[in-house]
Amino acid sequence: MEQLVVDAKTRKETGKKVARQLRANGRIPAVVYDEEGKAVSIDVDAAQFNKVWRSITATTLITLNVDGKSSDAFIRDTEYDIITDSVLHADFLVVTNKKPVVRTFKIQYSGTPVGVLKGGFMVKHLPEIKVKALPKDLPVRLVVDVSKINIGDVFCVKDIDLGANVTILTPAESELISVAPAR
C-alpha cells in the first residue's frame, strides 16, 4: 500500500474567526498531539486531507509533514459537518514506533462457510478483538476467512494469525463465530 502523506503548517492564531478564514481558504484547522499529550496547532490542505481521510481506517499510519518535518501519525479524530459534507477540524496523534499501542478491531468476514452452504447458519459471537503492537506493525483491518467452517465447527480467537509482532489481548478461547445446524 502506498504511504499516505498530509502536509501541514503550524499556526499561531486560534479561535472561531481564524478557523472560518482557514476553511474559506481551503484549509482545515487541526491539532497534532505527541505521545506525552503536548499539542501544537496546525492547518492542513482540505483537498489533500479529504483524499487521505476517506481512504483509511483508524489504524492506518500516515506521514504527517509539519513545516517540512515528517513523522508517523494516526488521524485520531475529526469534526465533520454532514450538511456541507466537509471536515471542520482534525486531530492527529504522532507516534514514535517505540511504544506499543492497544487498538480494538472490528472483525470483517470473507467467504461463505461450508456449513452454511449445507443448510446451517452462521452465529457471530464476538464482534471485535483487542490487539497490542507497535504502530508500524498494526494491521489496517482484520479480515477473517470463514469459508472452511463446517456445521458444528467453531472459529476462535486463537485461530487468527496476525504475525509475530502483534499480540492479541482478547482471550484465545473466545469464540468468534460458529456454524449451527438448521433447526
Side-chain angles (χ1 to χ4, degrees):
M1 190 171 111
E2 69 187 69
Q3 183 60 36
L4 302 168
V5 179
V6 174
D7 295 317
K9 296 187 287 188
T10 56
R11 61 186 169 100
K12 302 284 185 233
E13 302 90 23
T14 59
K16 289 181 185 180
K17 184 177 178 184
V18 173
R20 272 192 229 109
Q21 288 174 339
L22 283 170
R23 289 186 202 106
N25 293 327
R27 309 285 298 169
I28 298 173
V31 176
V32 61
Y33 297 93
D34 63 11
E35 290 176 325
E36 286 84 42
K38 295 177 187 161
V40 175
S41 295
I42 60 171
D43 63 81
V44 296
D45 179 65
Q48 183 187 33
F49 177 81
N50 282 318
K51 182 180 176 192
V52 170
W53 179 64
R54 293 180 190 277
S55 65
I56 64 169
T57 66
T59 57
T60 304
L61 208 55
I62 65 166
T63 300
L64 181 65
N65 293 329
V66 180
D67 296 331
K69 183 181 172 208
S70 296
S71 18
D72 290 336
F74 292 113
I75 297 177
R76 186 159 92 178
D77 193 21
T78 56
E79 184 181 340
Y80 179 75
D81 185 352
I82 194 168
I83 295 170
T84 61
D85 187 34
S86 61
V87 175
L88 301 175
H89 188 273
D91 288 343
F92 294 92
L93 175 65
V94 171
V95 292
T96 59
N97 281 316
K98 293 179 182 169
K99 273 178 34 180
V101 294
V102 175
R103 292 287 187 264
T104 301
F105 284 87
K106 289 200 181 297
I107 301 168
Q108 299 174 354
Y109 300 102
S110 69
T112 303
V114 173
V116 170
L117 297 174
K118 292 180 180 177
F121 61 96
M122 185 168 85
V123 180
K124 297 177 183 176
H125 300 283
L126 198 62
E128 57 191 25
I129 64 168
K130 217 173 240 193
V131 301
K132 179 179 180 180
L134 291 175
K136 65 179 172 63
D137 295 329
L138 283 174
V140 173
R141 56 183 51 87
L142 182 58
V143 181
V144 175
D145 180 20
V146 295
S147 59
K148 293 183 175 92
I149 301 174
N150 211 335
I151 294 175
D153 291 347
V154 176
F155 191 89
C156 296
V157 171
K158 67 181 175 187
D159 298 326
I160 298 174
D161 181 25
L162 295 177
N165 297 332
V166 180
T167 305
I168 299 176
L169 300 177
T170 304
E173 295 301 319
S174 299
E175 296 179 354
L176 293 175
I177 67 160
S178 60
V179 177
R183 295 181 197 200

